[in-house]
Structures are given as C-alpha cells and as structure tokens.
Amino acid sequence: MSTDVHEPPVATVPPPEERKPFRFPTAFTVLAAVLLLVWVATFFVPAGAYQLDKAGGPKPGTYHRLRSCSDVEPGVQCVNTSFTFRFKQLWDAPPHGLYGVENSRGLVGADESGFLYGSAPIFLFVLAVGAFITVTMKTEAIQTGIGRLALRFRHSGSVLIAILMLVFALGGTSYGMWEESLGFFALLVPLALALGYDRMTGAAIIFLGAGTGVICSTVNPFATGVASDAAGVSLGDGIGLRIAMWIVLVACAIGYVILHARRVRREPSEDEDVAEVPRLGGRQKVVLAIFALAFIIMIYGFIPWDDLWQEGWNTDFPLPTFGNFYFPEAAALFLVMSVVVGMIAKLGEEETVNTIVAGAGDFLSAALIVVFARGITVVMKNSYMTDTILHSMEKAVSGTSSSGFAVLAFIVNLPIAFLVPSSSGHAALVMPILAPLAGFAGVPRELAVTAYQSASGLVNLVTPTSAVIMGGLTLSKVGYDKYLKFVWPYLLLVFVVVCAFLGVAAATS
C-alpha cells in the first residue's frame, strides 16, 4: 500500500519592487516652487514703498506702508490686494517675464507704458547662440577643434583651466560678464569632457570664473559704476581693495576647480581617448575663425569702453565702438554669422535654415528658464514687497561699529540680492540708503559699495532665480542639486574672505 505525500504548495513571493533613486527636480520645477513661495509671501509681507529722489533711488527714512486701493481715492499710490488681481499676477508671471513693461510706478505688465522689463532680448539671444553653435557644429569644426585642443593640453589640462578662468574673471570684473556667458557653455562642456573631466568642470570654469570676477567688480559699470554714482563717490574709490579681493578670490576659484578636475579625472571611467583626432580642413579653419570672431565682437560690443575711458583718463575712447550694443544686437550678430557659416561650409539654403531652427530648438529650454526666473521678480515688484524687506535691512544696520557695519552691510545685502537679481537694480535700490548709513557708522562710502557688489555677486552664483545659473546648468546637463553640493564649500570660503577684507578695511580706514 503506497501513500502519496503531497507537499504543500510553496507560496510565491513577488520580487520586491525596485525603488527608483530620488532625483532632484528639474530647474523648471525648482523655479515653479520658488514662484509659488514668493507669491504666497505676498499675502503676508506688507506692501510698502520709499519716496524716490531725482535719480529714482529711495530716500532713507521715507519708507511708508501702502494701503489697499479699495481704501484710498484714485491717484494715490496703493496696492491691489484682491485675490483675483494677485492670482492674475501669478498666472501672468512667465509671459510678463518675457515681454512685461515697467511703468513709472514700478508695476510690470504687458499693457503698461514705460521700459521693457521682460527678458525677451536675452531669450532671443540664447536661441540665436544655439542656432550659431549648431550650424558651426554641423561642419564638425568645433568637434575637431576641441579634439585638437584637448590633444594639445591632454597632459596640462590645469593650465588650460587656469587660462580660461582668468579670461572669464577679467570679463566679470571689468564689465560684469554674466548673462553673456550663456553662449560659452555649449563650447566648454564638450572641451572638459574631451580632456577627461566631467560636465561640472566645464560649467564651473564659467560659473566660478566669471562669477568670482563679478564678486570683485573693479570697474564694472553695471554694478560698481551704478552703486558708486548712487553713493556719491568715484568709480575709482576703493578700487585697491577690490583688486586685492580679485587676486585672492580668483586664485581660490582656480584652485578649487582644478582640485575638482583632478579628482574626477583620476577615475578611469572619466578618461577619454583623444589620440585619434583628424586635422582641421581649410574650410573648418575659416569656420573656426568666424566662430571666434563672432564672440570677440560680442565681448567688444558689450564692454562700455567710452564710460571706462572717461572715468580713467577723462577722454574719449580712441577706437570706434558699437554704441548701445547689447542683447538685441548680439542676437542679430549670431543669426547673421549662422548664415555666413552655412555659406562657407556650402550647406545649402535649406539645410542652413533647418539647422538654424533645430539649433534654436535645442536651446529653447535654457531660454525658457531665463523667462521663468524673470517672472519671479515680476511678482515681487508688482506686490511692492521688496521695499518692505529693504526697510527691515535699513533698521538692522543702524547703530553698529565700523567693522560691524561693513560686515553687516554685506550680510543684509545677501537676501536683497536674491529678491533683486539685477545688479544695477540692486545698486539703485540699496545704495541711496546704505551710503548715508555708512557715514553714520564712520565707514567710507566706497566700502559700502564693495559690500553691496560682493553680496550681489555671491548670491548670483547660487540663486535659482539667476537665469545664468539655471540656464547654464540646463545647457551643461548638470542637476541643480549636484551643483549646490559642488559649490557650497567655495561659497563659504568666499563669505569668510569677503568678511575679512571688509572688516579689516573698515577698521583701518
């Protein structure tokens, strides 16, 4: 007699679901969150304004709260506090960030009369740079040129990093090179990869090079110039301190990036074989010459030679300049040069046009980032919350010692720089207040100028409202969270160095 032994069925356990690693939100999500937070803050931060002087700057001691427009008679400055109006401001923020116009009361809107506040010129500039670079890359001149450059510096990449960062730092300190640097990311990131480094290295060459130069602006007319004029001092006042800061911080920035580059290059997976690189053809050499010429013209046109020459030598600049050359003219330059490159490379009319359109499309995300970042500042301006925060800063720096005032002036400008990312707008806003306060504390006014510009430059290296940071990271394909992890030790170093310079300068003045 046999018995069948039936084993109980084995329960099958489903394999555990593989958890997806956490990914930091994209730049658009970060900016959307910042926009919502700023908009919510408008319901809690009281609206206020300063009286303005003839130059358009706020007068110290004239801050006053603004009442709701429903409680005052027509013609009196007020703020619309209705939910419908504020929701419309949130809804219209990105479009106004593109083509909003600022009126005489500081309101930004599409149907206002005044000056363009939106980022439409920068938006078109980014698309034009994308078109120009894509057409040039169609000829394979850039790829071959980068390969040859990487081959030449494959054993001395640190030298190339130092040279490039010095060039960007000179641009930052002389004329505030920042937004203009967006055109270089598509060039330097592939170069860094070809040298065996990572994408962060290519982005950091630009960010920490130009950004450190801006922090230590010596004759930058958009930061130091505007601030010095508002403070009633000469652009040359305090230049010795700023040059010393520039030397120290640029050396720190170069060392910081080189250390990172060497660390990532030691990993075998990062090495690239650049030994097999074809030689440049005749047409490719001409294309690269046109490519370099376009950027040289852009840089030459952006620098305000006449203002710098008048300030230093009190004479007219001896060479011809382009007058009011800025983003609209630069955008037209790159579009025209795109066609020129297509003609030289014999791409043909249809292929040249299609490549221009495709290149602009590749850079569309970075251009939209610029618009979104500007939309955040539109919400702050239209809610009149900026002057209220400035007023709290005014009270914070009153009654301190000379060294304490210098350091505190730097610290209180940090949040203002976040609220007002424009260096010239920031200068016009705070210097009419900080300059008199500096006199009360026994601190030279030019030291208040240095404190302001250092804070503005430092915040621009990290703030998500910076079109350069978010746009540059998008072009470099580097996450904002990874950039923060990379840059925060350098920001801390800059903070300490600037405080030391300001404190010693104030104590010995």
Side-chain angles (χ1 to χ4, degrees):
M1 180 176 174
S2 63
T3 59
D4 296 330
V5 179
H6 299 283
E7 295 183 0
V10 179
T12 58
V13 180
E17 294 185 3
E18 185 177 348
R19 292 186 178 181
K20 294 182 179 180
F22 172 77
R23 288 191 175 184
F24 195 82
T26 63
F28 285 101
T29 303
V30 171
L31 288 179
V34 173
L35 174 62
L36 285 174
L37 288 174
V38 169
W39 182 71
V40 170
T42 64
F43 290 89
F44 301 96
V45 178
Y50 284 92
Q51 294 180 10
L52 303 180
D53 56 23
K54 294 181 179 180
K59 296 180 181 178
T62 63
Y63 172 82
H64 57 281
R65 295 281 182 88
L66 294 180
R67 296 166 60 189
S68 173
C69 292
S70 60
D71 301 330
V72 300
E73 56 275 10
V76 177
Q77 188 178 21
C78 58
V79 59
N80 192 329
T81 58
S82 69
F83 180 83
T84 302
F85 175 82
R86 289 188 168 176
F87 181 77
K88 188 176 186 302
Q89 290 296 316
L90 173 66
W91 190 266
D92 290 341
H96 289 170
L98 177 64
Y99 53 76
V101 175
E102 183 178 2
N103 65 18
S104 57
R105 294 176 296 157
L107 284 175
V108 177
D111 53 355
E112 302 292 342
S113 298
F115 298 96
L116 178 67
Y117 184 82
S119 59
I122 305 178
F123 179 84
L124 182 59
F125 168 77
V126 172
L127 297 184
V129 169
F132 177 61
I133 290 177
T134 303
V135 172
T136 308
M137 292 185 70
K138 184 78 172 179
T139 69
E140 297 189 355
I142 290 181
Q143 299 92 315
T144 306
I146 288 175
R148 300 301 300 182
L149 193 62
L151 182 62
R152 183 171 184 177
F153 285 93
R154 65 187 183 277
H155 300 305
S156 56
S158 298
V159 175
L160 182 60
I161 290 175
I163 293 173
L164 291 172
M165 291 188 68
L166 278 173
V167 171
F168 282 110
L170 286 170
T173 192
S174 60
Y175 73 96
M177 182 182 189
W178 192 232
E179 286 89 351
E180 303 88 339
S181 66
L182 284 171
F184 293 94
F185 284 92
L187 179 63
L188 291 190
V189 171
L191 176 59
L193 293 175
L195 287 170
Y197 303 130
D198 61 353
R199 293 179 176 274
M200 185 70 76
T201 302
I205 290 173
I206 301 174
F207 285 145
L208 271 60
T212 302
V214 172
I215 291 173
C216 311
S217 294
T218 50
V219 291
N220 175 7
F222 306 109
T224 313
V226 174
S228 298
D229 181 71
V233 297
S234 169
L235 182 63
D237 292 334
I239 193 171
L241 172 66
R242 295 192 289 270
I243 290 175
M245 284 178 55
W246 184 88
I247 294 173
V248 171
L249 287 180
V250 169
C252 292
I254 292 174
Y256 191 81
V257 175
I258 288 177
L259 284 175
H260 170 79
R262 288 178 175 175
R263 185 169 62 250
V264 298
R265 201 183 190 206
R266 281 198 295 266
E267 299 177 9
S269 60
E270 293 291 334
D271 288 336
E272 299 255 349
D273 184 11
V274 295
E276 299 297 331
V277 180
R279 292 190 176 275
L280 285 166
R283 291 185 186 276
Q284 289 179 324
K285 291 180 180 179
V286 175
V287 167
L288 284 181
I290 296 295
F291 184 84
L293 179 64
F295 281 97
I296 290 173
I297 293 174
M298 180 197 75
I299 294 172
Y300 183 84
F302 276 136
I303 298 177
W305 296 106
D306 292 329
D307 294 340
L308 295 178
W309 216 259
Q310 282 286 346
E311 186 67 35
W313 289 272
N314 199 28
T315 59
D316 293 332
F317 186 64
L319 300 177
T321 61
F322 301 146
N324 296 324
F325 184 95
Y326 210 44
F327 287 113
E329 292 77 14
L333 167 68
F334 284 115
L335 289 175
V336 171
M337 288 300 191
S338 299
V339 177
V340 171
V341 168
M343 293 173 62
I344 293 174
K346 293 186 176 182
L347 296 180
E349 180 269 338
E350 183 178 0
E351 189 172 4
T352 299
V353 171
N354 290 340
T355 307
I356 289 174
V357 173
D362 291 340
F363 279 60
L364 182 60
S365 60
L368 290 175
I369 287 291
V370 173
V371 173
F372 224 98
R374 185 62 58 88
I376 295 173
T377 64
V378 170
V379 172
M380 293 190 292
K381 286 184 68 69
N382 288 346
S383 63
Y384 292 101
M385 63 185 291
T386 306
D387 279 10
T388 300
I389 298 174
L390 177 62
H391 177 59
S392 64
M393 301 296 103
E394 178 187 359
K395 293 188 295 183
V397 300
S398 300
T400 59
S401 65
S402 58
S403 295
F405 173 85
V407 174
L408 197 56
F410 169 63
I411 293 174
V412 299
N413 270 288
L414 294 173
I416 298 176
F418 172 80
L419 297 172
V420 188
S422 167
S423 58
S424 56
H426 183 177
L429 189 67
V430 302
M431 289 315 303
I433 296 172
L434 273 184
L437 290 176
F440 298 153
V443 174
R445 291 190 170 201
E446 58 266 24
L447 204 57
V449 172
T450 303
Y452 133 76
Q453 70 179 45
S454 301
S456 177
L458 178 62
V459 170
N460 272 342
L461 273 177
V462 68
T463 175
T465 61
S466 170
V468 178
I469 293 297
M470 304 309 286
L473 290 175
T474 302
L475 292 172
S476 305
K477 298 181 181 179
V478 173
Y480 182 58
D481 57 327
K482 294 181 179 178
Y483 174 70
L484 291 180
K485 184 178 179 180
F486 161 79
V487 82
W488 77 262
Y490 178 71
L491 298 179
L492 183 60
L493 174 64
V494 172
F495 180 86
V496 173
V497 171
V498 170
C499 287
F501 268 100
L502 292 174
V504 172
T508 57
S509 61

